[in-house]
Amino acid sequence: MLKELLKSYRIVQYGLKVRTQVLFGAFFGIFGIAMEVVTRGKNIIGSFYIILAGMFIYQLIISSDMSTLVQSSPHKKKIQCVYPLISIIPWIYVCITILAVINGYFAGTSSEAYIDICRMTAQLSIILFLSIIYFPLSYKYFVVATVALFVTVWPAMLIVATDNFISAKFTDYGVCVVILYLSATIGLIISFFVSRLVYKKDLSKIAFMGLIKRK
């Protein structure tokens, strides 16, 4: 597993606009942490940015498929179906742990903050789960996958945001964090099978339009 993980990171150099994408990932991580601190863990945008920072490497590896060297590689299928996923596994769990520590600290400041952060963590579990499944689909069917993501994520978040739902299901921050880890794990497993199902489909030009224009 470690050998495959190292291989996935070596492929990054063949991605489109590597330096630009790495800078974007770093910006998302720093901005997300700053927002977490400023909002005292109550804004889901900061949390999502931190998680997203750990997922930028997925796009770097997928974009390498446009390289002629990768196109002729016998590992082409792994480059689309295996390496992108295993490359983000450690980063996702590291980001979740960072969030758990930051938000755990703020959750202990007051009972109101505790409930708000429990609600936010439950919502983040939904976003993270759907986003991980969205990734392999978005690079094949960008428009359809993006519309489907918004159609599913917002109703689910609104349901979780209701006081009755929180009171009945998510009043323990520790449980919410465990659910966040489980959401990521289950999402990664489903994403692996989804990527294999759509492997033979052409990559979406729309998904890489900005990067291709800059290249």
Side-chain angles (χ1 to χ4, degrees), residues 79-185:
I79 292 171
Q80 280 201 31
C81 303
V82 178
Y83 293 146
L85 282 175
I86 64 173
S87 70
I88 65 173
I89 288 174
W91 293 103
I92 286 178
Y93 290 130
V94 166
C95 290
I96 291 175
T97 303
I98 291 172
L99 279 175
V101 172
I102 295 174
N103 291 336
Y105 170 77
F106 289 124
T109 58
S110 70
S111 57
E112 181 182 353
Y114 189 90
I115 295 298
D116 286 341
I117 291 174
C118 282
R119 177 186 289 111
M120 187 275 298
T121 306
Q123 290 178 321
L124 186 62
S125 297
I126 295 170
I127 295 177
L128 180 58
F129 173 76
L130 293 174
S131 295
I132 293 174
I133 297 173
Y134 163 80
F135 264 49
L137 290 172
S138 67
Y139 295 115
K140 303 289 184 172
Y141 310 100
F142 182 77
V143 175
V144 174
T146 302
V147 171
L149 179 68
F150 279 98
V151 168
T152 54
V153 73
W154 287 111
M157 285 181 63
L158 289 173
I159 292 172
V160 172
T162 60
D163 291 334
N164 289 338
F165 189 89
I166 289 294
S167 299
K169 305 291 183 183
F170 300 105
T171 55
D172 188 309
Y173 179 65
V175 172
C176 291
V177 171
V178 170
I179 291 172
L180 189 56
Y181 279 108
L182 287 175
S183 296
T185 303

Side-chain angles (χ1 to χ4, degrees), residues 21-32 53 56:
Q21 293 196 67
V22 169
L23 287 175
F24 267 116
F27 168 78
F28 272 62
I30 295 170
F31 181 79
F56 259 83

Side-chain angles (χ1 to χ4, degrees), residues 5 9 14 29 53 62 76 83 88 123 133 145 191 195 203 206:
L5 181 62
Y9 292 143
Y14 302 111
I62 286 290
K76 186 174 183 295
Y83 293 146
I88 65 173
Q123 290 178 321
I133 297 173
S191 185
S195 65
L203 289 172
I206 299 176

Side-chain angles (χ1 to χ4, degrees), residues 189-207:
I189 293 171
I190 294 174
S191 185
F192 170 73
F193 289 106
V194 170
S195 65
R196 293 177 71 88
L197 285 174
V198 300
Y199 163 66
K200 292 185 178 180
K201 301 296 181 181
D202 293 333
L203 289 172
S204 169
K205 292 181 180 180
I206 299 176

